[in-house]
Amino acid sequence: MVAKMTLRERITTAFKREMPDQIPFTCYQELAPSAETVSSLNKLGFAVIWRKEPFYFQQPNVETTVHQITDEKYPTELIVHKTPVGTLTQKAVIEPGYGSRWPTEHFVKGPEDYAVLEFIIRDTICVDDIDGFVEADRDLGDFGMAIPRAADPPVLELWRRLTGLERFSYDWHDCREEVQRVLDALSERNGKIWEIAANTPCDFSCSGGNMTGDVVSPKMFDTLIMPHFEAEAAVMHGAGKTTLNHMDGMLKSLVDVIARCPID
């Protein structure tokens, strides 16, 4: 009688495009229920995937403060980045479903803010935390696995987390040079993230993006997103890693360009 695979073995086998003894049933660690419930579900074949950053950021010339706002409908934070070249603020709601942070007031409010944002990104130091990643993976044991989380495509990170889609759209038309400098800074920072992720003791690496075809056209994908995935794959494949990406939107219009993408 052939022994059953562990939950970790099932995930690893599926990610390698091979056939496990049964289809893995998984959930991201940040969406998982309580530890007690997870323990019960493990016996039914449920596993946790932890997209864990093997690094953390330091910004020696940026003073960051977070203020809790209590008079809003939902928990709200005001984040303030003070730099030698200016100050950026963001107001974000912590939504009660997944605990996601949704900006209601973005850091970039006008073209003049891109210079401050560029300073913050270029001031960012990526610090190796591979030991922390290994510890997180060890904690999951055979009941799941940690995967090093790398960097999202710069253009998606920019409009999702820093500018908002409307602001980005106007500024990409009206002051593209300023926007491009920020995208270049994010790309350079991402290269440092990839170097760390490539050195983790894991066969895989993942990134995000929340891709959706109602915002990203095939032309935009080819121009602004494909170069990111090509550069990422060159590093990760060179380190023997399989790359994964989180896409959860309306993708029918993008199937052809995604098929040409080097994401595994």
Side-chain angles (χ1 to χ4, degrees), residues 183-202:
L183 293 177
D184 291 343
L186 286 169
S187 294
E188 292 177 24
R189 184 212 62 187
N190 287 356
K192 299 169 186 175
I193 291 174
W194 293 334
E195 289 178 11
I196 296 173
N199 285 318
T200 57
C202 181

Side-chain angles (χ1 to χ4, degrees), residues 59 79 170 246:
Q59 294 166 328
I79 301 94
Y170 282 124
H246 178 95

Side-chain angles (χ1 to χ4, degrees), residues 190-245:
N190 287 356
K192 299 169 186 175
I193 291 174
W194 293 334
E195 289 178 11
I196 296 173
N199 285 318
T200 57
C202 181
D203 292 335
F204 311 101
S205 176
C206 68
S207 57
N210 299 94
M211 199 77 63
T212 182
D214 56 339
V215 172
V216 177
S217 68
K219 181 180 179 180
M220 180 180 181
F221 191 110
D222 261 332
T223 304
L224 293 176
I225 297 172
M226 186 72 84
H228 165 91
F229 287 134
E230 290 172 342
E232 179 186 34
V235 174
M236 297 306 171
H237 291 167
K241 284 181 168 41
T242 297
T243 59
L244 299 82
N245 183 266

Side-chain angles (χ1 to χ4, degrees), residues 113-190:
D113 292 328
Y114 285 101
V116 184
L117 181 58
E118 182 185 357
F119 178 92
I120 292 171
I121 297 166
R122 295 196 182 279
D123 190 56
T124 300
I125 300 170
C126 301
V127 182
D128 181 320
D129 188 29
I130 293 178
D131 288 344
F133 171 84
V134 171
E135 182 179 354
D137 187 51
R138 187 185 298 119
D139 287 345
L140 291 174
D142 285 331
F143 298 104
M145 67 184 300
I147 299 175
R149 183 170 188 162
D152 295 352
V155 67
L156 298 184
E157 179 177 352
L158 181 61
W159 69 255
R160 284 180 59 223
R161 304 185 186 280
L162 303 169
T163 68
L165 181 59
E166 182 174 317
R167 175 83 267 162
F168 168 79
S169 300
Y170 282 124
D171 292 343
W172 186 243
H173 182 273
D174 295 335
C175 55
R176 185 168 301 189
E177 185 176 336
E178 288 86 344
V179 179
Q180 187 63 58
R181 284 201 297 267
V182 170
L183 293 177
D184 291 343
L186 286 169
S187 294
E188 292 177 24
R189 184 212 62 187
N190 287 356

